[in-house]
Amino acid sequence: MLRPEWRLWPISTFLCILDLKTGVTIALLFALFNKVAGIYGLISVLTGAGGSFAQLTLYLYSLLGLVGLGWGLKAVKEENPQYTLYFAHLFFVDHVFSTAWTYFFAVLWWVYTPHDGQRPANSAAQEAIRKGAGVNHTMTDVQLAAAANILWHEEKGTAAMVITISWLSKVYFALLLYSYAHHLRKGTFNSIRNLGLHHSAPAGYDPASVEEDDGNDEFYMSTLRTHHPNGTSSNLPNFVSAPERVGRHSSAQSRSSMGKITIPVQGNGEAFFEANGR
């Protein structure tokens, strides 16, 4: 057992901006786009563009990965804790396989591929495109190799950075998926569902007080609506049983108690409403 300070706490939001379920969905959509790109590679191999055995196996694996992503998206949408955990394991295994392929192609490109500007055609179609383009240059092979080497040294750092960021992003996506499955299994997902929304709310904002105020408004509106026996409705409260006011207007009020209603208000004054009937 790991010590409590060494354990990884589950993630509750996506980059502290969106809720966890939305973040998981975005991560899976990125993975889906990656697998679809592999399908296009498989089509190019089957139509004669050529390719190595490693490329063909990667493209076939991408086709199987699309099926797994479709099943995983359904589990995430339905908030199924058991299937989501299974899919999190599957997503992690996919990251391990993708890392192996990435390492293989990176070593092949960085170490064994000559960057001398001489790009051989991988198929007859590419050779036909090259001849049809009619590209001519006045550089010798030595000058072309030197220029290509300079360009390679300028771009290989950017290429390594893109690969590293992509690899770390998929690690974060796997942690998101495991955290989502953890909250579903523990029953804590509903408590952190709108956590990002509450964090972005202004200072002093209390959602519970707003909901309570909404309920009070509905209560007062229902209290003010009264119905008369003749079928008409009024928005004025019924103060038939209210005590009579004692003061200088008591005599006038007693004489016209059937024609005028006195509604006490909070303040120094009173509001008087004339009734329709006598």
Side-chain angles (χ1 to χ4, degrees):
M1 295 294 292
L2 293 176
R3 294 182 179 180
E5 60 271 16
W6 292 353
R7 297 176 184 176
L8 292 177
W9 293 99
I11 302 172
S12 299
T13 61
F14 177 66
L15 298 176
C16 298
I17 299 175
L18 300 175
D19 65 278
L20 189 58
K21 184 176 181 180
T22 303
V24 170
T25 304
I26 292 175
L28 296 184
L29 290 179
F30 272 108
L32 183 66
F33 176 78
N34 189 17
K35 299 303 181 185
V36 169
I39 297 301
Y40 283 104
L42 179 62
I43 294 174
S44 66
V45 171
L46 296 178
T47 53
S52 62
F53 177 76
Q55 289 175 314
L56 181 61
T57 55
L58 177 61
Y59 298 152
L60 291 175
Y61 176 76
S62 298
L63 181 61
L64 296 177
L66 280 176
V67 179
L69 280 173
W71 174 74
L73 281 170
K74 182 180 179 181
V76 169
K77 181 181 179 181
E78 295 177 352
E79 300 181 3
N80 189 309
Q82 183 177 5
Y83 290 162
T84 302
L85 181 61
Y86 292 160
F87 180 65
H89 297 326
L90 184 64
F91 190 86
F92 179 76
V93 172
D94 172 75
H95 182 50
V96 173
F97 287 160
S98 299
T99 301
W101 267 300
T102 302
Y103 179 79
F104 172 79
F105 289 119
V107 172
L108 183 65
W109 182 253
W110 253 265
V111 179
Y112 296 102
T113 301
H115 301 278
D116 54 0
Q118 301 293 337
R119 294 297 300 158
N122 295 322
S123 64
Q126 292 182 1
E127 185 66 28
I129 292 174
R130 174 182 295 181
K131 292 180 178 179
V135 178
N136 297 318
H137 56 80
T138 59
M139 301 175 63
T140 63
D141 291 343
V142 177
Q143 292 174 339
L144 183 62
N149 191 45
I150 293 174
L151 185 62
W152 164 244
H153 284 289
E154 291 178 353
E155 293 183 349
K156 66 180 181 179
T158 304
M161 183 180 64
V162 170
I163 293 175
T164 303
I165 292 176
S166 301
W167 188 86
L168 293 176
S169 298
K170 197 162 184 181
V171 171
Y172 179 71
F173 291 162
L175 292 176
L176 278 179
L177 195 52
Y178 272 115
S179 299
Y180 180 65
H182 173 82
H183 285 296
L184 288 179
R185 289 168 59 85
K186 296 296 183 180
T188 58
F189 176 66
N190 289 329
S191 62
I192 56 101
R193 183 185 294 269
N194 298 322
L195 187 61
L197 177 62
H198 295 337
H199 283 173
S200 60
Y205 174 79
D206 187 6
S209 63
V210 174
E211 295 178 359
E212 183 178 356
D213 292 342
D214 294 340
N216 292 337
D217 292 342
E218 185 65 25
F219 170 77
Y220 291 128
M221 291 300 295
S222 62
T223 305
L224 289 175
R225 297 188 182 95
T226 57
H227 298 275
H228 297 284
N230 57 2
T232 62
S233 62
S234 173
N235 290 333
L236 297 178
N238 188 1
F239 288 97
V240 175
S241 60
E244 295 184 358
R245 180 178 180 275
V246 179
R248 61 176 182 174
H249 296 291
S250 59
S251 59
Q253 182 179 355
S254 61
R255 291 194 303 269
S256 58
S257 58
M258 297 300 295
K260 185 175 295 185
I261 300 176
T262 303
I263 302 178
V265 296
Q266 186 177 2
N268 297 327
E270 295 177 350
F272 298 93
F273 294 88
E274 292 291 337
N276 293 330
R278 293 291 181 179

